[in-house]
């Protein structure tokens, strides 16, 4: 019917209304018969020559043009055109950028994966305790210390201004103790059997280091002797290290991989060891209340970083003004899968955290150990993020809408400006404007 209307309008040179009425009559006479309508359409085409078709095809032009002599160009119209073109270019740029940004859909379902390891990334700064008196330990839910875990944890000595003093050194985790106050090895000296000062046994007859003497007294459950009377401690400059215990800062950073079960890890002063499945830190010759456990959490995450993932306690500064404090962080870990649009799959974790702290003091009756303690649990649900490309048709439609909409609005504004200026000029010519 549309083609029939067009040919009637072009062939008979009728007005749009008359051509539409004629087309309607033909359609009613034919009673909607497709064959009859095609025959009528064929008649109009046959009686027209090819030149007539090309000439009269212009009658179908929905965008008639005016003659160049009748067009008026104004400064206001030029300004509106420039502004509208800039706005169109800006909005089209944002639309194209949005098209290239993939959409991310979320799904939530029960976690049935069996990942072998959980990676924990840490970066902490303890500004008031030397690295020699800090240790990082990791334990599982039963309280047993993780042994022989894969890790890349380093300690870096800092001054009180936070500037490095020396190169970082790798920390030992789960080795039954800490590398605190180990002597420097001297291969030129002949190895001798050092005295244990009465605490030697058949299995451990020699104490070659200050730490060995302390371990021997610990096995005997004796009080540690005066440091000045222990030759091993004197040769290792133990007293100098004690003087620097609270005049240096320490940065502990790196990662460790533990079994994918609930557990905990902590940073606390003193050498760590277990007695009858009880985890203990030996802070001799200091008392536990001597340590200021203020800290800065530069980074803490579980697994790989992905787009849109946030770590809620990164950059957190925790300052205590009440002496030795035990900081406890309770972490809920949500396993997360991220599927990129190229098909790559990333396994990571998100988490939420709550914090509790208490002052460790005999006078207040609060028991505990000063330090930074993290307890984490894995949620039974998994979140899946999937990247998807956006439709090009949707982008093209939006671009056309932007261009057409701004062009129409700019035309309305230009028309209002032009007619307003003309009306004012006319009143000025007539002397009606003061």
């Amino acid at each position: 019917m549309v083609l029939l209307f067009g040919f009637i309008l072009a062939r008979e040179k009728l007005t749009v209304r008359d051509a539409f009425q004629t087309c309607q009559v033909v359609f009613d006479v034919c009673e909607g018969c497709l064959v009859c309508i095609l025959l009528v359409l064929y008649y109009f085409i046959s009686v027209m020559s090819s030149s007539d078709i090309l000439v009269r095809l212009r009658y179908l032009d929905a965008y008639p043009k005016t003659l160049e002599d009748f067009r008026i160009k104004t400064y206001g119209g030029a300004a509106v055109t420039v502004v509208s073109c800039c706005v169109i270019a800006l909005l089209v740029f944002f639309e194209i950028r949005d098209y290239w940004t993939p959409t991310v859909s979320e799904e939530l379902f029960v976690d049935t994966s069996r990942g072998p390891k959980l990676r924990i990334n840490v970066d902490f700064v303890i500004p008031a305790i030397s690295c020699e008196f800090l240790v990082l330990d990791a334990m599982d839910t039963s309280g047993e210390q993780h042994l022989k875990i894969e890790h890349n944890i380093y300690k870096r000595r800092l001054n009180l201004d936070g500037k490095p003093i020396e190169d970082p050194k790798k920390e030992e985790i789960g080795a039954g103790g800490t590398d605190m106050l180990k002597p420097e090895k001297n291969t030129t000296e002949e190895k001798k059997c050092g005295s244990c000062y009465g605490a030697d046994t058949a299995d451990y007859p020699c104490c070659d280091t200050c730490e060995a003497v302390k371990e021997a007294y610990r096995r005997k459950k004796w009080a540690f002797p005066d440091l000045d009377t222990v030759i091993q401690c004197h040769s290792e400059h133990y007293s100098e290290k004690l003087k620097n215990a609270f005049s240096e800062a320490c940065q502990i950073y790196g990662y460790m991989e533990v079994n994918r079960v609930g557990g905990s890890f902590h940073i606390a002063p003193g050498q760590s060891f277990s007695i009858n499945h009880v985890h203990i830190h030996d802070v001799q010759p200091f008392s536990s209340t001597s340590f200021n456990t203020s800290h800065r959490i530069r980074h803490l995450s579980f697994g790989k970083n992905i787009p849109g993932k946030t770590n809620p306690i990164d950059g957190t500064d925790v300052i205590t003004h009440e002496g030795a404090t035990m900081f406890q962080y309770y972490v809920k870990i949500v396993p997360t899968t991220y599927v990129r649009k190229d098909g790559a799959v990333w396994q990571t974790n998100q988490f939420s955290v709550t914090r509790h702290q208490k002052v460790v003091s005999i006078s207040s009756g609060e028991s505990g150990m000063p330090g930074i303690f993290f307890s984490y649990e894995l949620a039974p649900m998994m979140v899946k993020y999937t990247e998807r490309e956006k439709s090009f048709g949707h982008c093209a439609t939006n671009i056309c809408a932007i261009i057409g909409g701004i062009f129409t609005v700019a035309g309305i504004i230009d028309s209002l400006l032009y007619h307003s200026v003309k009306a004012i000029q006319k009143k000025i010519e007539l002397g009606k404007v003061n």
Side-chain angles (χ1 to χ4, degrees), residues 92-289:
V92 168
F93 169 75
F94 286 138
E95 183 64 31
I96 294 176
R97 189 179 69 172
D98 181 70
Y99 167 71
W100 286 108
T101 303
T103 58
V104 180
S105 60
E106 299 182 9
E107 301 176 65
L108 182 65
F109 51 89
V110 176
D111 182 16
T112 57
S113 63
R114 293 293 180 268
K117 295 292 182 180
L118 175 66
R119 178 173 175 140
I120 305 175
N121 307 298
V122 300
D123 188 354
F124 301 142
V125 174
I126 295 85
I129 305 176
S130 170
C131 288
E132 302 288 349
F133 290 88
L134 287 173
V135 62
L136 187 150
D137 288 324
M139 295 178 290
D140 58 20
T141 51
S142 65
E144 292 291 337
Q145 187 173 0
H146 286 299
L147 299 176
K148 298 181 180 179
I149 64 174
E150 181 179 351
H151 73 92
N152 193 32
I153 299 293
Y154 286 87
K155 286 181 179 179
R156 177 185 283 137
R157 293 175 59 197
L158 308 174
N159 59 22
L160 295 181
D161 295 328
K163 297 181 180 179
I165 297 177
E166 62 181 14
D167 293 335
K169 297 180 180 179
K170 193 168 184 179
E171 167 75 344
E172 295 297 330
I173 300 179
T178 172
D179 59 353
M180 180 180 69
L181 307 179
K182 285 185 177 179
E184 297 181 357
K185 293 182 179 180
N186 190 345
T187 56
T188 61
E189 296 182 359
E190 183 181 357
K191 186 176 179 181
K192 298 180 180 179
C193 182
S195 172
C196 291
Y197 297 88
D200 54 295
T201 60
D203 295 330
Y204 302 96
C206 299
C207 296
D208 298 328
T209 65
C210 181
E211 193 60 41
V213 176
K214 293 176 64 178
E215 183 65 24
Y217 270 74
R218 189 180 299 116
R219 286 193 297 268
K220 290 284 189 176
K221 298 181 180 180
W222 293 352
F224 193 69
D226 186 5
L227 298 179
D228 294 334
T229 62
V230 180
I231 299 177
Q232 292 89 330
C233 296
H234 183 72
S235 62
E236 295 173 13
H237 307 289
Y238 189 88
S239 58
E240 295 181 6
K241 295 179 180 180
L242 291 180
K243 293 178 182 179
N244 296 330
F246 306 116
S247 60
E248 293 182 2
C250 183
Q251 179 186 8
I252 300 177
Y253 67 95
Y255 73 87
M256 53 186 172
E257 293 186 349
V258 298
N259 294 329
R260 196 177 178 83
V261 294
S264 64
F265 64 94
H266 60 265
I267 298 174
Q271 182 186 13
S272 62
F273 58 94
S274 296
I275 298 179
N276 297 327
H277 303 287
V278 178
H279 191 73
I280 299 174
H281 281 255
D282 180 12
V283 296
Q284 291 183 0
F286 302 105
S287 64
S288 59
T289 57

